[in-house]
Amino acid sequence: MLLDYSEYLNHKQWMDSALSLAQAAGDAGDVPVGAVIIDSFGNKIAEGENRKERDNDPTAHAEIIALRTAAKRLQTWRLQQCTLYVTLEPCPMCAGAIVQARLGLLVYGVDDPKTGAIRTVINIPDSGVSNHRVGVIGGILESSCRQQLQAWFANRRQQKIKGQR
């Protein structure tokens, strides 16, 4: 999908916001992934950051937290007029939740070669098990998203070598 410059700038603005949330998650000890949901008017209605470690909750992914918040705020689980920005390609759980929420558009930063369930490893939104087709744009601020994750994992490996957590 080709974007014009103003569309790109809009997506970049929201991905920058998601990157800030990802930084907060990483600083708190969780994998640095952040998510922002905007409504059809371009207003931020929800955000989330990974909280698996802090909450001891395997479902506390940035996307899930943002989807739950948006649904509560809009008082509907149908989010077809919304756009979700997330720094990392969603996993199978999050991809399923995105389909179930009938999300209008997903914009993500970097592909996940291990568990990416949008385009990289599997494609849940376009598969036969999906009852909703989600618009997808990948690669917005890809380099920044990749660098943030790589730096966090490199730091984590260094801490393990030094015997820290």
Side-chain angles (χ1 to χ4, degrees):
M1 171 184 261
L2 292 176
L3 300 175
D4 68 30
Y5 189 64
S6 65
E7 287 176 308
Y8 171 77
L9 288 178
N10 185 53
H11 293 318
K12 180 187 175 304
Q13 168 196 344
W14 292 114
M15 191 61 73
D16 277 332
S17 182
L19 274 165
S20 293
L21 291 163
Q23 184 65 47
D27 291 347
D30 278 285
V31 175
V33 177
V36 172
I37 297 179
I38 64 167
D39 65 15
S40 59
F41 301 107
N43 300 310
K44 180 168 71 169
I45 60 168
E47 61 184 34
E49 62 188 53
N50 270 2
R51 297 189 56 87
K52 257 173 72 168
E53 296 297 331
R54 287 175 281 174
D55 294 352
N56 292 310
D57 179 354
T59 68
H61 290 203
E63 302 94 309
I64 299 295
I65 292 166
L67 289 168
R68 286 177 180 156
T69 302
K72 283 182 182 176
R73 179 147 187 211
L74 297 176
Q75 297 184 337
T76 181
W77 58 268
R78 293 176 181 88
L79 304 178
Q80 65 269 21
Q81 301 300 318
C82 297
T83 300
L84 168 64
Y85 292 87
V86 62
T87 56
L88 179 65
E89 179 183 9
C91 71
M93 175 184 68
C94 294
I98 287 165
V99 169
Q100 288 299 314
R102 311 293 195 269
L103 189 73
L105 179 64
L106 167 67
V107 180
Y108 71 89
V110 65
D111 291 339
D112 184 345
K114 292 185 179 181
T115 64
I118 302 297
R119 299 284 184 263
T120 306
V121 179
I122 59 174
N123 183 334
I124 289 176
D126 293 335
S127 75
V129 301
S130 178
N131 60 350
H132 173 70
R133 299 294 180 253
V134 178
V136 176
I137 299 171
I140 300 295
L141 296 184
E142 179 178 6
S143 179
S144 297
C145 294
R146 178 179 290 110
Q147 288 172 351
Q148 185 181 55
L149 284 159
Q150 288 175 339
W152 187 86
F153 280 109
N155 184 50
R156 185 145 172 122
R157 282 190 295 277
Q158 280 296 94
Q159 288 176 350
K160 283 185 179 183
I161 289 169
K162 293 177 182 176
Q164 302 169 352
R165 183 160 189 257

